[in-house]
Amino acid sequence: MKTPHVTHQQASGLLHNKFVVVLGSSFQRGVYKDLVLLLQKDNYLSLSQLKNKGEEQFEKDELLEGGRKGPMSNGTQYKEVREYTSDHHLVRFYFITRVYSEYVQRILEDFKNGLKPDLVIVNSCVWDVSRYGRQWEPDYLENLNTFFGKLRTILPDEALIIWNLTMPLGKTIIGGFLVPEIVEFGPSLCFDIIEANYCSATLASVYGLDVLDLHFQFRFSLQHRMKDGVHWNALAHRRITCLLLAHVANAWGVELPPSQPPKGVNQRFSSEDLATKAMYQQPRKAQIPGLNQHFSEQYPATMEMYQQPRNAHNSGNDPRMRSPSYNQSFGKHDPTTNEMYQQCGNAQNSGVNQSFGGQDLATSVMYQQPRNTKDSDDNYVMRNKYSCRAQYRPY
């Protein structure tokens, strides 16, 4: 699905008189900054704006706590609270390094005793699975369960809570959170966050939260990832903002008219993004020098397969398909998947739904529907289990 574009005017009107809270680490800080920028103008974030942390002011916002007002560090005790206010907007950001802690508990107490947000955008994963021991699963699941439960108890039912799944990490990570004590765990984090995403998405769905699967959305957009293997450039952050606001509009029953990015926008491409800009300016069929050569060197079997005619595989002319070792190697590497696909040929559709539990009946029904239904357009979110939404009241 093509990402919908949301303009400055649309974002400003959608969040009119709304209190928005963004919770998370440095990636969520980028989400907050791009949202604050879009509420004022259609420009993109610059590289320095994305990299800076703890600055006293960003695009007319204010540093309330932590950051440069306190000790600057890459430790788990680092804090940064930012807030942007205008005549009709209030957006606040809390830097957290764990999904639930004493600090997060104090934040929730502020929500309980003070102004309650209308929209909460939250993510906490990379620090949780890397900075608190290698056996992160039990603590992370317990903290998720506690956080989601308290969040649902404190906030009113009409509050919209969106849990962002962590975006794909690189195998080589040089992010600031990766201190020397845990640098050996860096290559495995890209796999750990996949498991953590599954756990958090499942629990969030149980608690009725909305889930935006950014890992799925950006799995083929790795060219927008920074060299540190963790953060993403301005183009990716604007797409994230558009995905978030499009989902918010859908949840609140607001129809956003189709729009195109305005011409002449100052996109502020950095030197690192010039290659990306040039790539998008080229025709889609243009060949990038050296790309096919590199691909063929890394994946010769795959390259050979794609160079053959399409009907070669269907007609049984592929010698690898006739080779006994082909299916054997498939079963060796993934026996469960191999067995599953062998059974699918004779399996009856009537027995498929037996694997779904009582809480997954909605998922079962969704997969029974044709792919061209209206719900298939929203494949980038997991809808919450509430069929009714509070009426949108921006005033």
Side-chain angles (χ1 to χ4, degrees):
M1 178 181 177
K2 184 178 180 180
T3 303
H5 178 74
V6 181
T7 64
H8 152 62
Q9 290 81 5
Q10 292 173 341
S12 180
L14 179 64
L15 301 180
H16 189 86
N17 283 359
K18 295 295 183 180
F19 178 24
V20 182
V21 171
V22 182
L23 289 164
S25 57
S26 56
F27 168 76
Q28 289 288 100
R29 185 200 291 122
V31 173
Y32 159 82
K33 286 185 173 181
D34 192 75
L35 180 59
V36 168
L37 184 63
L38 186 60
L39 287 175
Q40 302 177 65
K41 48 192 172 183
D42 283 305
N43 285 359
Y44 288 72
L45 292 169
S46 66
L47 182 61
S48 60
Q49 288 175 329
L50 278 171
K51 287 187 174 182
N52 286 344
K53 74 172 187 177
E55 64 268 41
E56 294 187 1
Q57 189 177 34
F58 162 79
E59 294 291 342
K60 301 180 182 179
D61 82 337
E62 181 183 1
L63 178 64
L64 301 180
E65 180 185 350
R68 300 192 183 277
K69 293 184 177 180
M72 298 287 291
S73 68
N74 291 325
T76 57
Q77 301 302 317
Y78 175 76
K79 294 180 177 61
E80 183 179 346
V81 183
R82 315 192 65 87
E83 184 176 273
Y84 168 75
T85 58
S86 67
D87 293 339
H88 297 284
H89 300 104
L90 175 58
V91 186
R92 189 178 299 166
F93 167 71
Y94 295 91
F95 187 96
I96 60 175
T97 60
R98 205 168 195 179
V99 68
Y100 189 76
S101 60
E102 294 183 359
Y103 178 60
V104 175
Q105 186 176 359
R106 292 198 299 269
I107 296 174
L108 296 178
E109 288 295 327
D110 292 340
F111 296 159
K112 182 178 180 180
N113 301 324
L115 185 63
K116 293 176 174 55
D118 302 287
L119 171 62
V120 178
I121 304 170
V122 57
N123 166 267
S124 183
C125 177
V126 177
W127 287 67
D128 295 75
V129 304
S130 62
R131 295 297 292 270
Y132 299 96
R134 288 302 296 162
Q135 301 300 324
W136 53 267
E137 294 95 337
D139 290 340
Y140 188 53
L141 290 175
E142 181 180 354
N143 289 335
L144 283 170
N145 190 59
T146 304
F147 175 72
F148 291 157
K150 288 184 176 293
L151 202 60
R152 265 301 174 200
T153 303
I154 293 173
L155 297 185
D157 292 338
E158 58 268 19
L160 179 60
I161 307 170
I162 301 179
W163 175 262
N164 286 344
L165 296 191
T166 304
M167 298 176 68
L169 296 182
K171 291 186 178 180
T172 302
I173 299 176
I174 55 175
F177 74 93
L178 202 66
V179 294
E181 292 80 8
I182 61 170
V183 69
E184 61 184 74
F185 306 141
S188 64
L189 284 180
C190 59
F191 306 106
D192 291 337
I193 62 115
I194 296 176
E195 180 182 355
N197 277 342
Y198 172 79
C199 296
S200 63
T202 303
L203 274 176
S205 181
V206 169
Y207 279 95
L209 278 62
D210 290 18
V211 179
L212 181 58
D213 194 348
L214 296 178
H215 193 284
F216 173 83
Q217 281 293 305
F218 286 85
R219 69 198 188 284
F220 296 137
S221 302
L222 303 182
Q223 72 274 14
H224 294 299
R225 190 171 57 198
M226 298 284 197
K227 293 182 179 179
D228 62 3
V230 179
H231 300 96
W232 296 70
N233 64 16
L235 297 178
H237 274 284
R238 181 50 51 88
R239 183 185 175 195
I240 294 169
T241 302
C242 291
L243 286 171
L244 284 168
L245 293 181
H247 177 60
V248 170
N250 190 17
W252 287 345
V254 178
E255 184 176 353
L256 294 177
S259 60
Q260 297 293 331
K263 297 181 180 180
V265 172
N266 176 21
Q267 296 184 351
R268 298 179 180 177
F269 282 95
S270 64
S271 57
E272 295 182 3
D273 295 332
L274 289 179
T276 303
K277 179 181 180 182
M279 180 183 68
Y280 276 90
Q281 288 177 345
Q282 293 178 356
R284 287 194 173 185
K285 295 183 179 180
Q287 299 294 328
I288 302 177
L291 179 60
N292 292 334
Q293 180 181 359
H294 173 75
F295 186 83
S296 60
E297 291 175 355
Q298 295 293 325
Y299 308 101
T302 307
M303 192 66 182
E304 178 185 355
M305 179 185 69
Y306 278 99
Q307 288 176 347
Q308 294 177 358
R310 287 190 175 184
N311 58 2
H313 306 291
N314 299 331
S315 60
N317 295 329
D318 190 352
R320 293 174 299 166
M321 299 299 291
R322 301 195 305 267
S323 174
S325 62
Y326 184 79
N327 290 332
Q328 292 176 3
S329 62
F330 181 79
K332 179 180 179 181
H333 288 87
D334 198 350
T336 305
T337 308
N338 188 28
E339 181 181 358
M340 180 185 68
Y341 276 95
Q342 288 176 351
Q343 294 175 356
C344 285
N346 300 323
Q348 299 296 327
N349 293 332
S350 59
V352 174
N353 295 333
Q354 296 177 0
S355 61
F356 285 98
Q359 295 182 351
D360 293 330
L361 291 178
T363 307
S364 174
V365 174
M366 179 185 67
Y367 279 98
Q368 287 178 357
Q369 294 177 353
R371 298 188 67 179
N372 59 354
T373 57
K374 183 178 180 181
D375 291 339
S376 65
D377 293 338
D378 296 327
N379 60 348
Y380 52 87
V381 291
M382 293 174 54
R383 316 304 277 162
N384 69 7
K385 298 191 180 208
Y386 294 104
S387 58
C388 299
R389 292 281 193 180
Q391 184 180 2
Y392 176 64
R393 294 187 295 270
Y395 301 97

